[in-house]
Amino acid sequence: QVQLQESGPGLVKPSETLSLSCTVSGGSISSYYWSWIRQPPGKGLEWIGYIYYNGLSNYNPSLKSRVTISLDTSRNQISLRLTSVTAADTAVYYCARRSSGGTSYSHWGQGTLVTVSS
Amino acid sequence: DIRMTQSPSSLSASVGDRVTITCRTSQDIRNDLAWYQQEPGKAPKRLMYAASSLQSGVPSRFSGSGSGTEFTLTISSLQPEDFATYFCLQHNNYPHTFGQGTKLEIK
């Protein structure tokens, strides 16, 4: 049973960098697309971007200048880095997996709340 | 970006009721739509994929239909464990986009 678990600081100061990890257990990160998705309190979900196991990535244009998603295959982890954060980046951050071939997200983590505040 | 219009945003219903949630997209996405159930503090759970395919392990009271720009999720007979938030996702085009969610509450 594949499980995804997000982790990282719950509080980040404005203008600093948000860094989160997603650890995958019960399966390999090979041959899948790994995405980050977020949900601000009381608002809808926003797709941040993905990385494929071969390193190919794609980001939401609204965040592209500030986002980096990377893989650490030795640790079975996917990382998210978001620079120059503001209060608008306060959200629950989810990682999610989907297979190749144009499918939807079959597995999600339970999410981690990140608050941007001084 | 493909705009998603999900309705209603909230719904009060009773155990045993039949409910329908609708998702409309701003352009044709074929059947590249999925439905999810979300409970507080838990990982979203996929209910339907490819618009009308039931995820393994999901009860058959859930069904999905539609293609192109209009999609529906139907729960044929509500059970107590079904009171949650539901959202749709289009994965036809990047960036992937989501419906705003429907909160299903007990009447």
Side-chain angles (χ1 to χ4, degrees):
Chain A
Q1 175 77 350
V2 174
Q3 291 189 313
L4 285 63
Q5 180 66 59
E6 303 88 349
S7 61
L11 181 65
V12 181
K13 290 182 168 52
S15 80
E16 295 190 344
T17 296
L18 179 160
S19 296
L20 296 175
S21 295
C22 172
T23 301
V24 179
S25 58
S28 170
I29 62 175
S30 296
S31 303
Y32 293 102
Y33 290 85
W34 301 93
S35 286
W36 286 94
I37 293 158
R38 69 180 183 178
Q39 185 170 32
K43 296 187 178 181
L45 291 148
E46 179 181 33
W47 181 81
I48 297 171
Y50 78 73
I51 189 164
Y52 193 39
Y53 79 103
N54 64 2
L56 177 72
S57 61
N58 188 0
Y59 302 127
N60 194 320
S62 67
L63 297 167
K64 189 173 183 177
S65 64
R66 298 194 292 130
V67 173
T68 304
I69 298 175
S70 58
L71 285 175
D72 184 338
T73 54
S74 66
R75 300 170 77 178
N76 246 27
Q77 283 185 341
I78 303 95
S79 295
L80 170 70
R81 191 167 175 269
L82 182 66
T83 62
S84 304
V85 298
T86 69
D89 295 309
T90 293
V92 176
Y93 286 77
Y94 297 95
C95 59
R97 186 191 93 169
R98 69 185 191 103
S99 303
S100 56
T103 63
S104 56
Y105 300 96
S106 57
H107 294 80
W108 295 61
Q110 64 183 36
T112 187
L113 174 63
V114 179
T115 301
V116 178
S117 175
S118 55
Chain B
D1 298 6
I2 294 176
R3 292 185 306 279
M4 309 287 285
T5 304
Q6 184 175 340
S7 60
S9 57
S10 64
L11 180 56
S12 291
S14 302
V15 172
D17 284 353
R18 178 185 180 92
V19 299
T20 297
I21 300 168
T22 298
C23 209
R24 291 185 175 86
T25 60
S26 61
Q27 63 189 67
D28 188 336
I29 62 165
R30 302 181 304 179
N31 68 340
D32 294 333
L33 186 118
W35 289 98
Y36 295 84
Q37 179 189 65
Q38 185 177 27
E39 297 179 81
K42 292 188 176 181
K45 175 185 175 183
R46 189 170 67 176
L47 303 173
M48 311 294 305
Y49 63 94
S52 59
S53 295
L54 186 69
Q55 177 71 33
S56 175
V58 173
S60 59
R61 62 181 179 273
F62 290 91
S63 64
S65 65
S67 68
T69 62
E70 186 157 337
F71 304 85
T72 60
L73 173 71
T74 298
I75 310 172
S76 60
S77 178
L78 277 172
Q79 298 302 301
E81 60 269 28
D82 299 337
F83 292 93
T85 297
Y86 295 84
F87 65 87
C88 55
L89 154 76
Q90 71 79 18
H91 56 92
N92 178 264
N93 223 347
Y94 289 110
H96 292 171
T97 48
F98 300 85
Q100 287 295 304
T102 295
K103 187 172 184 179
L104 183 51
E105 298 174 312
I106 301 175
K107 186 184 287 184

